[in-house]
C-alpha cells in the first residue's frame, strides 16, 4: 500500500510488517525518514524530519540555509557536487566537463501497473498493488531521474530502480548509476555478505561497520562467487531468530557494487547497483538509462525472517509464472559419472538405471558436441560429436522411451579457439587486436553485445532444443572476463561493454524462454559463480556449487539460503570419496544434505551395489513424498555449520502441522552431551510425532544394517519452548535400541507430523 500526504510531499510505502517513509525537503531534495517497523499512516510526518538547524563548522551549506548541508541529509538519490561528500548513487559528467548534479523534486505519480524495465528482468507485481514514481531533475543540466518504488506487501519487500533521462541537447556520460540508496540514521550495524570462490561459494562474512567505506563488488563480468550481489545489514545483537536486519538483493548478473559507508556524523549509507568500475555510459540527448531492480526487505525478527521474506518474494515474483511453485524433477546428471568419457551405450545404461530407481530427468552434460573430448575444444559448435552415435536426437529418444525427461548442457556465451565458430568469426570473441588473449579453461568469451552473436546463438540453440526435444537445459558459463575489447563496439562504447554484455544475454534469454516456455532452465557458472536474481528470473534454479561434497555443501547451502530459496538451489548426491575434497561421506548424509534443495544424483549410478541401490530407491521415494516441503517449505537455519559441529535445518509447511528437520554432524564427539533442538513455527496446540527417516549405516557397502528409528511425541509448544530431547549418541560403551548412531559426517532427517493429519 502506498499513501501520499500531498501537502508535505510525504510518501508512505507499507508492507505487511514494514514501513518505508520518504519526503521532499524544503530545498526540494528527496530524503529518507524511516525504514523499519510498520507505522500507522498519519496525515503528516513532519516531526520525523531530523535535520541540523544551526550552522555547522567546516560545512558546505546548501543555498546558504544554516545547517542545511547535504552532507547530513538522508538522501534517496545522492549525487555529487553540492556538498554531500559521501559516495554518490549517481555521478554524471556533462559536455562542458562539469560533474555537478543536483536533483530536485518535480512530480510524482502512482501507477496501477508495474512498468517493466527496459532490457532488464523485473519482478512481477502483486495483484492490486501500486507503484510510485518520483521524478527529480537538475534545473541546470536538464538531467531527469525517475525513482521507482514497488510494494510487495505479502513478502515484505520493496523494490527500487532508477530511470535516468538526458533532456539536454548534448550527450552526458554516466560514470555511476546505482539502483538504490538507503541512508540509515545511525552507525551501529554489521554488514553481512556472501564471499567465496570456486567450490567454496556463499561463505557467510559478517563485519562490524566503522567510520569509512566498505565496498564489495565483482569485476569479473559475472555476478561472481567472490561476492554475491546480496548484502544484509544487521544490528550487532541480531541473530537468526531475533533482532532487526535488512536484506538487499540485486536483480543483475554482471559486475555489481555494494557500498556501506558510515559518515563522520554516524549516518550509514547503503547502496547497491551496477559496478561503476570500468563503466561509462553515454546518454545521447533524449536517451534514457535504466538501472537494475533491487529488492529490499526488513525483518524485526532476525535473519531467518529476512530470508523467508526474500524466499517468498523470489518464489512468487522473480521466478517466471510458468515455473512458480512447480515441483522440480529429480535428475541424474552424467558429469561426475563420466566426465567427457561416454558413448551412447554408457548413457543408455545410466538412463535405464535412472528409470529403475525412480529418477525423472536424465541430463547429458558437457561433451556431446563438436569434437569435444576434453575442455580444449569445440565450444561454439553445435553439431553432434561422433562419439555419440546417433547424436543427441537418438539418446533423447531412448531416454524418453524410458519415460524420463531429457536435459542437455550448453555453454552458449563461450567459444573455443579450436572451433569452427572461432575460425569463421574470430571477431565475435572478446580479444584485443594487439594482445594475445588470456584464456580461462582454454576458452574465450563471446561478444554478447553484438546482435549478430545473439541471433547466431538463438538459431543454433533453437535447433538443438528442437531436434533433441529438450525438456531441461543446464546453461553453463565457465570463465570470467579478460582482455575486454568488443569488436562490435566503437572506441567510446568500449567502457559500456560489461553492461551491454548483460543486456545481450538477457535479450537472448528472453527470446529463448518465450520460444521454449516448457523448458526448465538451470543456470550454472562453474557452480555458483552467477547465482543472482537476474538469472533466476529466466532460470528458476541454479547449480549451487561444483562442490558436491555434502559436508562442504552444508556451508554453501546454508550461506546461499540467506537470500535464495531451496527451490532455487540444485544439490546432488555424488560419489565417495568426493571428487572435490576426497572426503568419504556416508551415502545417507549425501542424500540428507542434497534433499534440502532441487535434488538429483551425479555419480555413476550403474556402479551402485545392491545395498546402495536399495538405499537410493528409498531416498528417491522419500524425496518425492516430501518434495513440496523440501522445495517450497518455510526454511529455518537453526544452527550453523560456520559456528559449530552440528548443523540443523528446518522446513515447515504453511499450516504449521508438518515439518522436516535436517541434523548434520561433522565429527563424532566422545562422551557427548544430551542434545535438545528447539523447533519454531509449529502449531503450538497440536501433538506431534517426530520420527527419523529410515536409513542405513555407513557400512552400507557391506551390510544392510539399518540405523534404529527414533520416535518422539511432543506438543508444538513443547517443541518450540523446551525443544526436541534427542536420544544420546554412542557413548563409547554399547549400542542399544536407544542409541543415536550418527558417527563422523553422520546425519538424520526427522519427519515431524501432527497427529491425526
Ligand atoms: C562446470 C559445471 O559447473 C559442471 O557441473 C559441469 O557442467 C562442467 N562445467 C562441464 O564442463
Amino acid at each position: 500500500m502506498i499513501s501520499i500526504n500531498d501537502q508535505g510531499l510525504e510518501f508512505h510505502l507499507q508492507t505487511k510488517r514494514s514501513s518505508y517513509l520518504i519526503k521532499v525537503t524544503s530545498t526540494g531534495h528527496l530524503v529518507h525518514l524511516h525504514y523499519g517497523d510498520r507505522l500507522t499512516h498519519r496525515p503528516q510526518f513532519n516531526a520525523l524530519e531530523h535535520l541540523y538547524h544551526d550552522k555547522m563548522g567546516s560545512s558546505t551549506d546548501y543555498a546558504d540555509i544554516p545547517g542545511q548541508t547535504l552532507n547530513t541529509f538522508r538522501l534517496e538519490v545522492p549525487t555529487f557536487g553540492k556538498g554531500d561528500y559521501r559516495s554518490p548513487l549517481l555521478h554524471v559528467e556533462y559536455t562542458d566537463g562539469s560533474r555537478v548534479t543536483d536533483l530536485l523534486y518535480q512530480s510524482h505519480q502512482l501507477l496501477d501497473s508495474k512498468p517493466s524495465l527496459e532490457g532488464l528482468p523485473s519482478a512481477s507485481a502483486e495483484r492490486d498493488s501500486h507503484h510510485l514514481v518520483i521524478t527529480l531533475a537538475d534545473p541546470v543540466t536538464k538531467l531527469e531521474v525517475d525513482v521507482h518504488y514497488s510494494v510487495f506487501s505479502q513478502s515484505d519487500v520493496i523494490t527500487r530502480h532508477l530511470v535516468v533521462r538526458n533532456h539536454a541537447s548534448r550527450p552526458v556520460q554516466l560514470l555511476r548509476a546505482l539502483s538504490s540508496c538507503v541512508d540509515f540514521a545511525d552507525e551501529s550495524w554489521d554488514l553481512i555478505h556472501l564471499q567465496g570462490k570456486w567450490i567454496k561459494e556463499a561463505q557467510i562474512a559478517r563485519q562490524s561497520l566503522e567510520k569509512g567505506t566498505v565496498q564489495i563488488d565483482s569485476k569479473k563480468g559475472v555476478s561472481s562467487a567472490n561476492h554475491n550481489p546480496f548484502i544484509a545489514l544487521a544490528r550487532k545483537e541480531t541473530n537468526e531468530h531475533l533482532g532487526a536486519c535488512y536484506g538487499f538483493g540485486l536483480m543483475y548478473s554482471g559486475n555489481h557494487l555494494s557500498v556501506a559507508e558510515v559518515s563522520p556524523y554516524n549516518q550509514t549509507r547503503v547502496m547497491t547497483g551496477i559496478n561503476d568500475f570500468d563503466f561509462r555510459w553515454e546518454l545521447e540527448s533524449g536517451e534514457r538509462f535504466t538501472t537494475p531492480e533491487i529488492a529490499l526487505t526488513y525483518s524485526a525478527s532476525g535473519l531467518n525472517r529476512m530470508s523467508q521474506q526474500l524466499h517468498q518474494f523470489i518464489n512468487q515474483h522473480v521466478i517466471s509464472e510458468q515455473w512458480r511453485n512447480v515441483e522440480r524433477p529429480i535428475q541424474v546428471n552424467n558429469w561426475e559419472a563420466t566426465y567427457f568419457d561416454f558413448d551412447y551405450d554408457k548413457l543408455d545404461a545410466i538412463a535405464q538405471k535412472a528409470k529403475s530407481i525412480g529418477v525423472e530427468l536424465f541430463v547429458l552434460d558437457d561433451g556431446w558436441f563438436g569434437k569435444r573430448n576434453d575442455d580444449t575444444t569445440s565450444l561454439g559448435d553445435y553439431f553432434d560429436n561422433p562419439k555419440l552415435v546417433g547424436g543427441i536426437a537418438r539418446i533423447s529418444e531412448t531416454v524418453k522411451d524410458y519415460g524420463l525427461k531429457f536435459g542437455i548442457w550448453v555453454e552458449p556465451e563461450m567459444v573455443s579457439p579450436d572451433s569452427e565458430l572461432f575460425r569463421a568469426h574470430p571477431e565475435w570473441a572478446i580479444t584485443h587486436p594487439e594482445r594475445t588473449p588470456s584464456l580461462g579453461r582454454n576458452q574465450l568469451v563471446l561478444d554478447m553485445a553484438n546482435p549478430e552473436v545473439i541471433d547466431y546463438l538463438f538459431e543454433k540453440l533453437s535447433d538443438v532444443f528442437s531436434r533433441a526435444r529438450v525438456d531441461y537445459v543446464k546453461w553453463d558459463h565457465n570463465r570470467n572476463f579478460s582482455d575486454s575489447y568488443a569488436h562490435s563496439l566503437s572506441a567510446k562504447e568500449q567502457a559500456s561493454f560489461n553492461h551491454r554484455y548483460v543486456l545481450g544475454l538477457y535479450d537472448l534469454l528472453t527470446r529463448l524462454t518465450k520460444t521454449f516456455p516448457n523448458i526448465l532452465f538451470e543456470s550454472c557458472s562453474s557452480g555458483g559463480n552467477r547465482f543472482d536474481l537476474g538469472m533466476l528470473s529466466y532460470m528458476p534454479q541454479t547449480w549451487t556449487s561444483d562442490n558436491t561434497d555434502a559436508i562442504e555443501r552444508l556451508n554453501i547451502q546454508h550461506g546461499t539460503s540467506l537470500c535464495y530459496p531451496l527451490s532455487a538451489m540444485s544439490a546432488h548426491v555424488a560419489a565417495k570419496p568426493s571428487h572435490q575434497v576426497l572426503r568419504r561421506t556416508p551415502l545417507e548424509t549425501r542424500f540428507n544434505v542434497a534433499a534440502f534443495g532441487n535434488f538429483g544424483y551425479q555419480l555413476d549410478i550403474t556402479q551402485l551395489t545392491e545395498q546402495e541401490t536399495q538405499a537410493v530407491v528409498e531416498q528417491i521415494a522419500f524425496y518425492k513424498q516430501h518434495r513440496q516441503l523440501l522445495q517450497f517449505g518455510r526454511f529455518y537455519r537453526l544452527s550453523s555449520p560456520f559456528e559449530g559441529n552440528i548443523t540443523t535445518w528446518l522446513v515447515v509447511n504453511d499450516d504449521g502441522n508438518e515439518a522436516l528437520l535436517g541434523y548434520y554432524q561433522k565429527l563424532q564427539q566422545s562422551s557427548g552431551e544430551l542434545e535438545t533442538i528447539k523447533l519454531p513455527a509449529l502449531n503450538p496446540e497440536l501433538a506431534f510425532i517426530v520420527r527419523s527417516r529410515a536409513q542405513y549405516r555407513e557400512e552400507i557397502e557391506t551390510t544392510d544394517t539399518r540405523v534404529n528409528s527414533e520416535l518422539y511425541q511432543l506438543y508444538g509448544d513443547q517443541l518450540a519452548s523446551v525443544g526436541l530431547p534427542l536420544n544420546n549418541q554412542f557413548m563409547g560403551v554399547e549400542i542399544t535400541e536407544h542409541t543415536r548412531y550418527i558417527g563422523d559426517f553422520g546425519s538424520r532427517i526427522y519427519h515431524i507430523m501432527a497427529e491425526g493429519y
Side-chain angles (χ1 to χ4, degrees):
M1 159 139 176
I2 301 178
S3 313
I4 300 177
N5 294 335
D6 282 323
Q7 227 180 10
L9 284 175
E10 294 165 337
F11 306 92
H12 189 188
L13 286 61
Q14 288 168 301
T15 69
K16 213 167 40 177
R17 285 183 286 237
S18 71
S19 275
Y20 191 101
L21 192 56
I22 51 183
K23 73 164 290 167
V24 177
T25 62
S26 56
T27 54
H29 295 95
L30 186 62
V31 295
H32 188 85
L33 297 182
H34 168 76
Y35 185 26
D37 292 335
R38 193 175 202 270
L39 302 176
T40 304
H41 186 71
R42 312 280 178 192
Q44 51 113 335
F45 289 102
N46 267 353
L48 297 183
E49 194 174 346
H50 200 180
L51 299 172
Y52 288 87
H53 293 294
D54 298 331
K55 223 172 179 14
M56 303 165 81
S58 181
S59 68
T60 306
D61 293 336
Y62 186 80
D64 209 20
I65 309 170
Q68 301 245 327
T69 161
L70 294 188
N71 207 27
T72 57
F73 275 29
R74 293 166 60 197
L75 293 158
E76 282 289 277
V77 188
T79 55
F80 180 72
K82 292 296 288 175
D84 182 1
Y85 300 104
R86 296 163 291 181
S87 312
L89 188 74
L90 203 63
H91 191 201
V92 185
E93 184 181 318
Y94 301 93
T95 326
D96 65 359
S98 79
R99 284 105 43 232
V100 178
T101 303
D102 188 22
L103 293 174
L104 303 178
Y105 170 84
Q106 297 301 303
S107 61
H108 67 266
Q109 210 185 340
L110 274 183
L111 308 175
D112 283 337
S113 61
K114 186 169 180 283
S116 52
L117 276 70
E118 213 172 359
L120 291 163
S122 64
S124 64
E126 251 179 21
R127 205 175 310 135
D128 302 329
S129 59
H130 282 157
H131 314 276
L132 173 66
V133 192
I134 302 176
T135 301
L136 311 175
D138 185 312
V140 175
T141 63
K142 309 287 178 235
L143 193 79
E144 258 189 26
V145 178
D146 290 338
V147 194
H148 284 260
Y149 299 87
S150 292
V151 175
F152 296 81
S153 185
Q154 293 313 309
S155 327
D156 280 301
V157 162
I158 286 166
T159 65
R160 290 187 56 176
H161 74 275
L162 302 181
V163 177
V164 183
R165 283 191 303 272
N166 178 14
H167 275 305
S169 54
R170 293 195 288 174
V172 301
Q173 308 291 327
L174 294 185
L175 306 177
R176 171 185 276 194
L178 303 180
S179 292
S180 80
C181 170
V182 181
D183 275 348
F184 292 92
D186 71 281
E187 84 297 3
S188 188
W189 297 105
D190 283 350
L191 175 71
I192 300 173
H193 74 281
L194 301 174
Q195 59 85 22
K197 51 194 166 185
W198 181 64
I199 63 172
K200 207 164 182 66
E201 295 88 342
Q203 307 293 304
I204 297 177
R206 181 168 182 159
Q207 68 195 85
S208 172
L209 290 180
E210 308 294 339
K211 286 205 176 57
T213 305
V214 180
Q215 295 200 0
I216 65 144
D217 76 347
S218 168
K219 303 182 192 72
K220 294 187 142 179
V222 284
S223 48
S224 109
N226 293 161
H227 300 286
N228 190 276
F230 158 80
I231 58 167
L233 204 64
R235 288 295 183 195
K236 310 280 173 195
E237 67 279 7
T238 296
N239 61 27
E240 290 288 5
H241 309 283
L242 296 168
C245 54
Y246 299 82
F248 303 81
L250 186 68
M251 204 177 289
Y252 191 62
S253 311
N255 290 345
H256 61 89
L257 169 71
S258 287
V259 178
E261 178 173 2
V262 180
S263 80
Y265 296 92
N266 281 351
Q267 293 164 326
T268 302
R269 173 165 289 178
V270 178
M271 302 190 295
T272 296
I274 297 176
N275 199 347
D276 61 343
F277 175 81
D278 202 25
F279 169 87
R280 172 184 280 260
W281 191 277
E282 181 166 286
L283 267 190
E284 292 286 350
S285 171
E287 279 185 352
R288 56 176 183 260
F289 181 85
T290 304
T291 72
E293 190 165 27
I294 180 166
L296 284 63
T297 195
Y298 164 72
S299 154
S301 316
L303 294 163
N304 270 320
R305 170 74 64 78
M306 174 200 76
S307 300
Q308 288 159 8
Q309 289 167 186
L310 287 167
H311 295 177
Q312 195 199 12
F313 170 73
I314 292 169
N315 278 329
Q316 302 304 327
H317 302 286
V318 175
I319 301 304
S320 60
E321 211 176 335
Q322 178 83 6
W323 296 104
R324 211 166 283 163
N325 300 323
V326 173
E327 291 186 3
R328 315 291 162 69
I330 299 172
Q331 64 168 274
V332 67
N333 175 301
N334 75 308
W335 178 241
E336 287 193 24
T338 66
Y339 294 102
F340 294 103
D341 185 16
F342 60 82
D343 56 16
Y344 171 84
D345 289 340
K346 179 69 201 172
L347 299 181
D348 180 19
I350 295 176
Q352 269 190 55
K353 177 84 181 205
K355 178 64 188 169
S356 72
I357 59 179
V359 163
E360 297 154 328
L361 163 69
F362 171 93
V363 180
L364 171 54
D365 210 283
D366 195 355
W368 59 265
F369 51 90
K371 53 183 173 104
R372 191 158 166 96
N373 298 318
D374 56 36
D375 63 15
T376 61
T377 172
S378 300
L379 291 173
D381 296 342
Y382 290 90
F383 51 88
D384 291 334
N385 190 321
K387 77 181 171 199
L388 188 59
V389 176
I392 50 174
R394 176 171 174 227
I395 187 64
S396 166
E397 200 177 316
T398 303
V399 165
K400 286 178 185 249
D401 282 349
Y402 294 136
L404 299 172
K405 291 183 186 303
F406 179 73
I408 202 158
W409 177 97
V410 289
E411 193 176 358
E413 299 156 74
M414 298 290 155
V415 62
S416 305
D418 176 16
S419 66
E420 311 238 325
L421 177 64
F422 185 75
R423 284 184 277 277
H425 284 291
E427 79 286 3
W428 283 4
I430 293 303
T431 53
H432 189 275
E434 290 162 44
R435 287 183 196 281
T436 306
S438 301
L439 299 180
R441 210 193 187 205
N442 308 302
Q443 63 200 50
L444 294 166
V445 178
L446 277 177
D447 178 4
M448 301 292 284
N450 182 348
E452 283 178 33
V453 173
I454 303 300
D455 287 344
Y456 170 84
L457 291 175
F458 178 73
E459 188 195 310
K460 290 292 173 193
L461 293 167
S462 298
D463 175 56
V464 168
F465 298 168
S466 306
R467 82 185 142 89
R469 295 195 293 132
V470 163
D471 301 299
Y472 159 104
V473 170
K474 178 176 174 187
W475 182 293
D476 210 343
H477 182 290
N478 284 309
R479 70 155 293 184
N480 300 307
F481 294 11
S482 72
D483 301 275
S484 285
Y485 185 86
H487 298 264
S488 65
L489 299 179
S490 67
K492 70 174 185 180
E493 287 170 330
Q494 290 297 332
S496 64
F497 166 69
N498 291 323
H499 183 53
R500 286 184 197 274
Y501 179 99
V502 180
L503 294 179
L505 169 65
Y506 288 158
D507 177 30
L508 177 59
L509 295 180
T510 304
R511 288 166 69 180
L512 285 170
T513 47
K514 276 200 177 129
T515 312
F516 299 95
N518 296 325
I519 292 182
L520 172 62
F521 284 85
E522 176 161 330
S523 169
C524 171
S525 181
S526 307
N529 200 40
R530 193 164 61 181
F531 203 138
D532 57 64
L533 297 182
M535 293 311 286
L536 282 176
S537 54
Y538 301 99
M539 308 194 182
Q541 55 196 58
T542 300
W543 180 227
T544 315
S545 174
D546 273 358
N547 199 331
T548 45
D549 172 68
I551 301 304
E552 291 293 313
R553 273 296 187 117
L554 287 174
N555 293 48
I556 294 168
Q557 293 174 209
H558 194 91
T560 303
S561 77
L562 230 49
C563 181
Y564 306 99
L566 302 190
S567 64
M569 277 189 242
S570 292
H572 296 169
V573 169
K576 176 166 113 180
S578 151
H579 291 194
Q580 291 77 37
V581 291
L582 305 176
R583 186 175 286 122
R584 303 182 67 80
T585 305
L587 177 59
E588 297 287 33
T589 292
R590 283 176 270 156
F591 169 76
N592 290 343
V593 174
F596 279 75
N598 271 325
F599 178 63
Y601 290 86
Q602 195 168 152
L603 75 174
D604 190 348
I605 51 174
T606 65
Q607 300 301 309
L608 294 174
T609 65
E610 220 173 284
Q611 292 300 331
E612 288 172 326
T613 301
Q614 183 53 31
V616 162
V617 165
E618 290 175 28
Q619 291 173 353
I620 290 174
F622 182 87
Y623 188 81
K624 283 180 178 168
Q625 193 185 347
H626 300 290
R627 174 164 26 200
Q628 180 66 26
L629 205 48
L630 289 165
Q631 294 182 356
F632 300 103
R634 195 165 353 125
F635 181 66
Y636 289 84
R637 294 172 297 269
L638 299 184
S639 56
S640 165
F642 293 97
E643 287 162 15
N645 192 42
I646 304 293
T647 302
T648 43
W649 294 336
L650 184 76
V651 277
V652 186
N653 70 357
D654 284 342
D655 296 334
N657 59 22
E658 187 179 12
L660 290 167
L661 168 69
Y663 174 100
Y664 312 94
Q665 168 163 283
K666 285 182 187 156
L667 293 178
Q668 176 80 25
Q669 306 296 299
S670 45
S671 293
E673 294 99 40
L674 285 173
E675 298 164 79
T676 315
I677 303 176
K678 290 187 178 173
L679 303 178
L682 294 164
N683 185 329
E685 306 299 328
L686 298 179
F688 286 91
I689 295 178
V690 181
R691 199 189 299 272
S692 62
R693 179 178 81 83
Q695 63 180 59
Y696 294 87
R697 287 191 188 175
E698 191 192 346
E699 305 82 23
I700 185 168
E701 293 86 346
T702 50
T703 75
D704 67 350
T705 323
R706 281 179 186 270
V707 292
N708 50 329
S709 167
E710 297 162 53
L711 187 69
Y712 310 88
Q713 275 176 287
L714 287 95
Y715 287 89
D717 60 341
Q718 298 169 349
L719 287 167
S721 302
V722 185
L724 177 65
L726 290 169
N727 289 354
N728 62 265
Q729 293 199 34
F730 177 58
M731 298 303 286
V733 180
E734 58 177 352
I735 295 176
T736 68
E737 75 273 22
H738 302 296
T739 314
R740 265 195 322 136
Y741 186 103
I742 306 277
D744 288 352
F745 313 129
S747 64
R748 290 283 179 282
I749 291 182
Y750 296 92
H751 181 223
I752 302 156
M753 189 75 194
E755 283 183 55
Y757 282 86

